[in-house]
Amino acid sequence: MYNAKAFSAASHTSPLAPTTIVRRDPTETDVQIEILFCGICHSDLHQVRNEWSGALPTVYPCIPGHEIVGRVTKTGSAVTKFKVGDLAAVGCMVDSCGTCPECKESLEQFCPNSVLTYNFPDKHTGGVTYGGYSDSVVVDQRFVLKVPSNLDLAGAAPLLCAGITTYSPMHHWGVTKGKKVGIVGMGGLGHMGLKFAHALGAHVVLFTTSLNKKDDALRLGADEVVVSRNADEMAKHAGSFDFILDTVSAEHDINAYLSLLRRDGNICLVGAPEKPLSIAAFSLLFGRHSISGSPIGGIAETQQMLDFCGEHNITSDVEVIPIQKINEAYERLLKSDVKYRFSIDMASLKSD
């Protein structure tokens, strides 16, 4: 075991503060990574403040962070995929059973025994897993990803959650050249949706409640921008979309978007509104429309996404902050005061 610097929350009301944690030395299949950047996900805030206590109660101290990019510093004797000095990344998972049908199909995100990067039982230490708000991490090579060398590392970090969360459903539902794709909302997820849909060759339409996002949306890859509160603008697109990615976590009328789908069109939820959505049956019946949901992707698909980003030079638009501004960043996150993700420069941890 060895000591590592980190920032942790001691309780649901405590600010994140410097601490020292214990990491395991690499076993024969492990990779040790010096963390260079770690993205901030909204789920970090939920977890730190124990807002998912019903489904996933937080164990304190909690060290969040599942958008990790760094450099390999040590490898176990049986590691074949990485060598010291390689760029590497870790996303939302650090282990799974490897034997269930989901794992065998490279869909580890659906494994009933998957282990999340933080706040999950850690079979090695007997406590819980600690995330990327730290100077290093040790992960089995099966869950470590290769980072294309041409990508900006600060912008690459959020790809490990926001990136795969938007890429995976587009991959699954066959977004490609010639398709018409809608993106609902332009936050941390939505701005990645625009970039991916554009790079995949689709005709991309952003739906937003605010016209002041138009210029940014066009820069990010939108071909058109529609103000969702404008009934006439919405009506012009009735029955024309192959696929709509809904990234909104606030309460909203999904029926307004179901009517925009062409026959056999699908709307996929990646945002998670607190209250159940009300769906009119006729919105589905006429046109054989469907609604789906999607979490992150499996390890193979996440690597595919990173390779795609390397080919198309896609990264997240980030504001880079030192770890000492983490609590301020959380407050700004609640106000959606960031374009479009925070990325922590973990070199700042050395000054604590």
Side-chain angles (χ1 to χ4, degrees):
M1 308 290 273
Y2 70 95
N3 290 333
K5 286 187 172 184
F7 261 57
S8 72
S11 74
H12 74 281
T13 57
S14 302
L16 287 147
T19 190
T20 299
I21 59 173
V22 174
R23 298 281 196 192
R24 71 177 186 268
D25 286 321
T27 66
E28 62 178 12
T29 60
D30 282 336
V31 175
Q32 184 173 322
I33 300 166
E34 177 193 4
I35 300 174
L36 301 177
F37 292 93
C38 184
I40 299 176
C41 180
H42 209 111
S43 60
D44 295 347
L45 190 154
H46 290 307
Q47 197 78 70
V48 161
R49 299 186 176 179
N50 202 24
E51 292 173 356
W52 291 340
S53 57
L56 193 60
T58 304
V59 177
Y60 297 97
C62 175
I63 290 91
H66 58 206
E67 299 178 346
I68 299 167
V69 171
R71 196 171 294 280
V72 176
T73 56
K74 192 179 292 186
T75 61
S77 59
V79 171
T80 57
K81 296 181 179 179
F82 295 89
K83 64 182 187 300
V84 172
D86 285 351
L87 292 173
V90 178
C92 301
M93 299 177 290
V94 292
D95 204 358
S96 69
C97 75
T99 58
C100 70
E102 284 71 28
C103 286
K104 288 181 176 178
E105 290 185 48
S106 297
L107 297 171
E108 298 92 348
Q109 72 272 34
F110 300 119
C111 172
N113 295 304
S114 63
V115 177
L116 300 186
T117 306
Y118 66 91
N119 199 56
F120 246 58
D122 188 334
K123 67 183 181 184
H124 298 278
T125 66
V128 295
T129 51
Y130 292 147
Y133 295 10
S134 174
D135 60 11
S136 66
V137 69
V138 177
V139 179
D140 188 284
Q141 67 171 340
R142 294 183 300 126
F143 288 82
V144 181
L145 299 138
K146 296 179 183 295
V147 181
S149 59
N150 62 304
L151 295 181
D152 171 72
L153 296 185
L159 298 177
L160 279 302
C161 182
I164 188 57
T165 297
T166 49
Y167 179 89
S168 182
M170 291 192 194
H171 180 224
H172 178 77
W173 290 100
V175 170
T176 187
K177 189 175 182 180
K179 301 285 187 179
K180 185 175 180 181
V181 172
I183 306 293
V184 184
M186 198 174 80
L189 293 176
H191 95 287
M192 289 306 309
L194 289 174
K195 292 188 179 195
F196 283 132
H198 174 75
L200 287 163
H203 181 87
V204 190
V205 180
L206 173 73
F207 294 99
T208 178
T209 57
S210 174
L211 193 57
N212 64 19
K213 293 182 179 178
K214 181 175 181 178
D215 289 345
D216 233 15
L218 296 174
R219 174 183 66 83
L220 292 166
D223 296 290
E224 300 178 61
V225 177
V226 172
V227 177
S228 56
R229 293 188 176 120
N230 186 317
D232 290 337
E233 282 190 46
M234 294 286 281
K236 290 176 184 176
H237 291 273
S240 66
F241 283 87
D242 297 285
F243 178 76
I244 296 175
L245 187 73
D246 188 342
T247 72
V248 177
S249 292
E251 193 174 353
H252 60 292
D253 180 15
I254 197 170
N255 297 288
Y257 299 103
L258 283 166
S259 67
L260 304 183
L261 295 173
R262 66 171 76 237
R263 175 179 52 80
D264 292 326
N266 175 267
I267 183 166
C268 183
L269 307 180
V270 291
E274 183 180 350
K275 297 179 181 177
L277 297 171
S278 178
I279 299 167
F282 286 113
S283 296
L284 299 174
L285 295 175
F286 294 120
R288 200 160 56 192
H289 300 150
S290 63
I291 299 175
S292 62
S294 181
I296 56 170
I299 296 301
E301 188 176 49
T302 304
Q303 187 62 63
Q304 181 188 74
M305 178 271 304
L306 286 170
D307 294 343
F308 182 84
C309 288
E311 292 167 13
H312 295 271
N313 201 27
I314 294 173
T315 55
S316 183
D317 282 25
V318 296
E319 178 180 336
V320 180
I321 63 165
I323 189 72
Q324 293 79 8
K325 289 191 175 181
I326 185 65
N327 296 299
E328 176 188 327
Y330 273 25
E331 293 306 314
R332 288 179 56 194
L333 196 60
L334 287 170
K335 303 171 187 174
S336 299
D337 178 25
V338 59
K339 286 187 175 180
Y340 286 92
R341 303 284 285 203
F342 286 113
S343 187
I344 307 169
D345 182 352
M346 299 309 298
S348 60
L349 190 56
K350 295 175 183 175
S351 63
D352 261 286

